[in-house]
Amino acid sequence: MEAVVARENMLLALERVESNKGAAGVDGMPVEALREYLRVHWPRIKEALLAGDYRPSPVRRVEIPKPGGGVRQLGIPTVLDRLIQQALHQVLQPIFEAQFSEHSFGFRPGRSALQAVTQAQSYVAAGGRWVVDIDLEQFFDRVNHDMLMARVARRVADKRVLKLVRRYLQAGVLAEGLVSARTEGTPQGGPLSPLLSNILLDDLDKELERRGHHFCRYADDCNIYVQTQRSGERVLASVTRFLEERLKLRVNPKKSAVGRPWQRKFLGYSMTHHKVPQLKVAPESVERLKDKVKEKLRRGRGQSLSKVVAELSPLLRGWGNYFRLARVQSTLEALDQWLRRRLRCLLWRQWKRSYTRAKNLMRRGIDRQRAWVSATNGHGPWWNAGASHMNQAYPKRFFDSIGLVSLLDQLRTLQLAA
């Protein structure tokens, strides 16, 4: 605990919390007010931490939609508790990092989802043509506190730290004005939660290593690569027993399966069926991007096209950067065409009247007769957005000129740079 509250550690934690920003907790204090609050109250808080008397505030429940449907429940701690959790994380992470598996990639320094995807690709190329895809049902909501604390106590002797970690696990949840106690789970939203999940699931990693399996785990997403369907079925059954009996976790039977890697997805990617598989964007990832773009376009119907493009750019750049390992480029080419058609559709809707449509088509080089025929053709916005007159008036080079990110062009640039 002395290392947790040390000045250098706390200053580093404060900088991290301030840079991450984030929403206020149950007390309503914004991140911007934290530093001034600490100038007055830090001596008392530090004394309580060293004495083992500090009690965290409840977390504020926030629900966000899951990509595959349903909602994910987040627990937003107060900014003070985020600071203390971050300080704890900075001291505990190096202690546990040394023991973690080489097959674990989530929430670890110097490791990433793309490394996990590359490792999975190598297992398939080496002959692991069947994948055991394990989905843990509501993992962060079902973590057994006693199981988790026993594993933390293996390497941490300071009872003040153990008591504080347990108090964070048991901190109540504020929803609709009522605070409810929590007896299981480690709520997503705090800096400590990812580390705690890795500590618990490290037992799974060690068991899979002991059995000699080829696997990749990113947080609660675990794929095991085997050579036959029959061995995959055996592995799924035995690993399910291990998780449910030894770690008190529940495997989702509807989402867990044994299948071909090119028929499943892992961290947003899928693969081709070739002997040396190529990575590609999973269809579900494409649909999620389309849904996000549609939502932004719905909000941007009254805005200028350049403003809409500016708002889309961070989303498209981030998405394209994540999928830079994809070698099947036809998906990105089709997405680029779909994006441009969506933006042409937005323009057609904004023009509304036939006169305005004809006038704007003529401004973009369409001859008068064709412009008027096109403007009065009676078809809807989506049809016109894909028609030759709008494609000629607003070609790819026009969208390039106003800064629309081309996913295909960005991928080629990133691959050349690599």
Side-chain angles (χ1 to χ4, degrees):
M1 186 59 79
E2 281 74 14
V4 172
V5 300
R7 178 177 175 81
E8 295 79 8
N9 188 57
M10 292 304 303
L11 283 173
L12 182 61
L14 179 60
E15 290 171 5
R16 181 67 60 86
V17 169
E18 287 177 332
S19 65
N20 289 342
K21 299 180 180 178
V26 294
D27 61 357
M29 183 192 297
V31 173
E32 295 78 12
L34 178 58
R35 193 175 287 259
E36 189 61 37
Y37 178 86
L38 292 172
R39 287 194 179 98
V40 178
H41 298 283
W42 175 242
R44 172 182 57 80
I45 298 165
K46 180 180 178 181
E47 183 181 342
L49 288 167
L50 290 171
D53 296 333
Y54 180 82
R55 293 192 173 276
S57 300
V59 297
R60 181 169 63 87
R61 177 176 292 169
V62 175
E63 294 184 345
I64 60 172
K66 284 185 178 181
V71 295
R72 175 177 287 116
Q73 292 187 352
L74 300 184
I76 308 300
T78 63
V79 289
L80 175 60
D81 283 325
R82 290 213 291 276
L83 172 72
I84 297 170
Q85 283 195 38
Q86 180 63 38
L88 272 169
H89 183 278
Q90 290 165 185
V91 172
L92 294 177
Q93 175 84 33
I95 295 172
F96 288 94
E97 180 63 29
Q99 77 175 38
F100 285 156
S101 167
E102 284 298 305
H103 304 275
S104 163
F105 294 89
F107 311 120
R108 295 181 59 192
R111 293 182 155 252
S112 69
L114 296 187
Q115 289 175 334
V117 170
T118 303
Q119 183 69 76
Q121 181 188 23
S122 71
Y123 288 147
V124 178
R129 309 292 282 182
W130 291 88
V131 60
V132 182
D133 188 350
I134 295 175
D135 182 86
L136 293 173
E137 189 172 27
Q138 295 180 312
F139 168 72
F140 286 93
D141 297 326
R142 295 190 183 279
V143 169
N144 182 286
H145 290 173
D146 292 336
M147 287 278 181
L148 175 55
M149 290 309 305
R151 283 148 182 79
V152 177
R154 288 173 184 171
R155 300 183 70 86
V156 177
D158 191 330
K159 286 184 169 49
R160 297 167 298 179
V161 171
L162 295 174
K163 190 187 296 184
L164 183 57
V165 172
R166 185 177 279 276
R167 282 175 178 167
Y168 274 120
L169 289 173
Q170 295 177 336
V173 178
L174 178 68
E176 298 179 356
L178 296 174
V179 176
S180 55
R182 190 171 61 239
T183 57
E184 62 178 2
T186 168
Q188 293 172 272
L192 207 51
S193 184
L195 174 61
L196 295 177
S197 69
N198 273 336
I199 291 172
L200 182 64
L201 289 175
D202 187 58
D203 275 30
L204 171 63
D205 298 340
K206 295 296 190 288
E207 178 66 15
L208 295 177
E209 287 175 348
R210 187 184 68 78
R211 299 182 187 185
H213 287 309
H214 292 155
F215 71 97
C216 300
R217 183 179 65 79
Y218 190 94
D220 58 335
D221 200 345
C222 183
N223 277 9
I224 306 166
Y225 295 87
V226 296
Q227 294 184 347
T228 67
Q229 183 177 10
R230 180 175 292 183
S231 62
E233 299 289 354
R234 286 199 304 268
V235 169
L236 177 58
S238 63
V239 172
T240 297
R241 281 196 303 272
F242 175 84
L243 286 165
E244 295 185 345
E245 293 173 8
R246 293 277 296 277
L247 298 183
K248 307 300 180 188
L249 297 171
R250 188 179 299 171
V251 173
N252 188 334
K254 293 181 180 178
K255 294 186 178 180
S256 300
V258 176
R260 295 293 198 178
W262 45 90
Q263 294 171 340
R264 308 291 295 179
K265 65 179 177 67
F266 181 51
L267 302 176
Y269 279 86
S270 188
M271 302 182 197
T272 65
H273 65 277
H274 301 101
K275 186 173 182 180
V276 179
Q278 298 295 304
L279 293 173
K280 63 179 184 178
V281 183
E284 297 91 337
S285 301
V286 172
E287 291 307 311
R288 285 202 292 272
L289 176 65
K290 286 185 174 182
D291 288 342
K292 290 178 181 178
V293 169
K294 288 175 187 175
E295 178 59 31
K296 284 186 176 292
L297 292 182
R298 271 194 293 271
R299 295 201 302 264
R301 281 180 182 170
Q303 298 176 344
S304 67
L305 190 63
S306 57
K307 189 170 182 179
V308 172
V309 166
E311 289 186 2
L312 283 174
S313 291
L315 170 65
L316 298 176
R317 278 201 194 90
W319 193 91
N321 185 56
Y322 180 78
F323 287 104
R324 65 182 179 272
L325 300 182
R327 291 298 182 269
V328 180
Q329 299 185 358
S330 57
T331 300
L332 301 186
E333 185 176 12
L335 260 175
D336 278 342
Q337 293 171 354
W338 178 86
L339 278 164
R340 292 193 292 270
R341 186 171 180 179
R342 276 279 164 190
L343 292 171
R344 294 187 194 106
C345 184
L346 182 70
L347 283 175
W348 195 264
R349 287 181 185 278
Q350 288 178 343
W351 293 342
K352 294 182 181 177
R353 295 165 55 213
S354 298
Y355 171 78
T356 308
R357 289 168 177 170
K359 182 180 67 174
N360 283 316
L361 287 172
M362 286 187 280
R363 281 178 178 170
R364 295 293 308 166
I366 305 297
D367 68 75
R368 182 181 181 84
Q369 182 181 357
R370 187 182 175 202
W372 274 104
V373 169
S374 300
T376 56
N377 60 32
H379 290 290
W382 183 246
W383 187 92
N384 277 282
S388 60
H389 53 273
M390 283 296 280
N391 275 278
Q392 182 181 329
Y394 293 92
K396 179 181 181 298
R397 63 178 177 274
F398 166 80
F399 291 103
D400 289 343
S401 72
I402 63 171
L404 179 65
V405 174
S406 164
L407 295 170
L408 183 59
D409 291 350
Q410 179 179 252
L411 175 67
R412 288 170 174 167
T413 302
L414 288 169
Q415 290 178 349
L416 280 173

